[in-house]
Amino acid sequence: LAPAVNNNVIASILGIVVGVTPPLRAAMFEPGGALFVLVDAADIISGAAIPQVIIILGASLAHGPEHSLCDRRTALSIAAVRLAAMPLLNVGIFLGLRATLPAAAVPSSPAFWLVFLVEGAMPTANNMMLQVQMFGSPAAAGGVGA
């Protein structure tokens, strides 16, 4: 149960509680609310989150992968699935949703289409490093870039 109760899960649960509690939501997100200054400060601080994650990811992968943990065939198979099969699956899902749902239910914006495809093809090095660090496997950390 301990790995399931981490900071991300706790933050998600707190976000849901704040979202479904009107007085708390008003205090935090309406200008002039009692807790608005905290949310505003968190918004300013969060502007540095993405650059910080990119720097940490680069530092984690700086020495390259430990090739003995993953052979070439496995690495190429993972890359093919992640960078070719997943985008094709996303295209199929999008086209299927567009064909079955009313036009208003599926966004037709080119920006939506681009984000949908990029998310399906996104490399997972950042997610893998996060999991390795959460579960403390130094041996697996060397094979993340493989």
Side-chain angles (χ1 to χ4, degrees), residues 26-129:
M28 291 182 78
F29 295 106
E30 289 182 10
L35 301 174
F36 182 75
V37 69
L38 296 176
V39 174
D40 197 34
D43 187 46
I44 292 169
I45 293 170
S46 70
I50 299 300
Q52 179 184 9
V53 167
I54 291 171
I55 290 170
I56 291 171
L57 176 62
S60 300
L61 300 175
H63 299 300
E66 176 61 46
H67 293 287
S68 65
L69 295 174
C70 181
D71 63 11
R72 184 179 301 269
R73 182 177 178 200
T74 303
L76 290 175
S77 299
I78 291 170
V81 167
R82 191 68 180 139
L83 299 175
M86 291 299 292
L88 289 175
L89 180 65
N90 273 7
V91 170
I93 290 171
F94 179 75
L95 294 175
L97 288 174
R98 196 168 66 177
T100 58
L101 294 176
V106 179
S108 60
S109 165
F112 172 79
W113 178 246
L114 177 64
V115 169
F116 196 76
L117 287 177
V118 168
E119 285 296 320
M122 192 64 70
T124 57
N126 195 12
N127 293 337
M128 290 176 65
M129 281 307 299

